Amino acid sequence: MTTVSLTWPSGQIDNVPALWLRDNCPCEQCRIELTSEHRFIIATVDPTLTPVAVTQTDDGVVVDWGDHVSTYSQSWMDDVRAQVARCFPPMERWDADDEIRRFSFDILDTDPPTEISALDHFCRFGAIVITDTPCEPGWSETLYRRWGPPTELPFAKVHDVYVDPSGYNVAHTAEALPPHNDFASKRNRPSGQILHMLANEAEDGDSIIVDGLAIVDQLTDDERSVLTTMPAAFRQFSETTETWSRSTVLQVDESGAPVGLRYSNQLLQAIDPWHTDASAWYEAYHRLTTLIIDPANQVRFRLSAGDLLMLHGHRMLHGRTAFSPASGVRHLQDIYFDFDDVANELHRRQRLQTA
Ligand SMILES: [Zn+2]
């Protein structure tokens, strides 16, 4: 493929693929200016496309393609650089002595910079607590709609968690819950979660969170490898609802960096014991579980009535210690959302703030 050399007024030189340059023509014929959407379709030119002429101007570069003329300014290239560099806020690891950051709803509600700083902390660290919220059923959805639409899932949109002998999950008992991701049993599971404590008069039942990425950092390469290649199935069901999926316990991005776990001791189904990697998988899973239940890797705190825990659903595992149901009522509500929506809303607000 032809490469085109562009010399900008600043003297900087960029060598870019010809098809890239043609595809990114910013003119009104090739783009819808208002929305910046592509109108030009790459397949309408030959893959061996080469410019007829490239001319330097005071402002940038003009490229004659024979059947079309494209004008690229230096400020256009600066925008492209910003587009290429754009990414979600980096996921910063938790240290063992980190405490959960708390933001008062009263301040967040009235002070936009505080709200931005709460969202920024959430995106970087995967968990925050919002305090001083109304203990009203369904209020978590009202809050979340500031940032995006909640995700409706099987069983319920707003999931009530209290002691319920007819419940579909161990969460509906007073038992301890080992740290886990919710809805490991859904292939398209939610990447964000809110737990809103409406009442907590019970003794014990402390909340536990675990940074899955800090855990994965402690695994060996071989352990990481088998957990990203051999799948496991998860199931959660009731008399009227079935959720099941099979996927790997560890998720990585294009570069191989871990981005989340699919871990639920409660919902794990029998893995294939005849798989050639079954023993290696179980050794890695044993190690992963040992790290997850190690209090040294856990952050523990109490959610009081009016506290709302917001989590990155794939990265952060959450659980609780056992509580005594006879000692008082404990009632929380879960809602789910797409983490990307919060990260992008943060980006939009930060851009408005600096505009
Ligand atoms: Zn054009």
Side-chain angles (χ1 to χ4, degrees), residues 22 25 27 30 68 70:
R22 178 65 191 87
C25 176
C27 85
C30 298
H68 189 75
S70 301

Side-chain angles (χ1 to χ4, degrees), residues 22 25-31 40 65 68-72:
R22 178 65 191 87
C25 176
C27 85
E28 173 61 19
Q29 199 183 324
C30 298
R31 292 259 168 186
F40 173 74
W65 301 103
H68 189 75
V69 175
S70 301
T71 302
Y72 306 96

Side-chain angles (χ1 to χ4, degrees), residues 78-98:
D78 292 342
D79 285 347
V80 167
R81 277 185 222 288
Q83 276 180 45
V84 171
R86 180 171 175 177
C87 54
F88 286 127
M91 292 186 180
E92 295 181 36
R93 303 298 197 263
W94 288 67
D95 292 326
D97 54 354
D98 275 345

Side-chain angles (χ1 to χ4, degrees), residues 338-351:
D338 189 342
F339 176 83
D340 290 8
D341 289 343
V342 175
N344 286 322
E345 177 63 9
L346 170 65
H347 177 88
R348 193 183 71 82
R349 292 194 187 198
Q350 284 172 329
R351 209 180 46 207

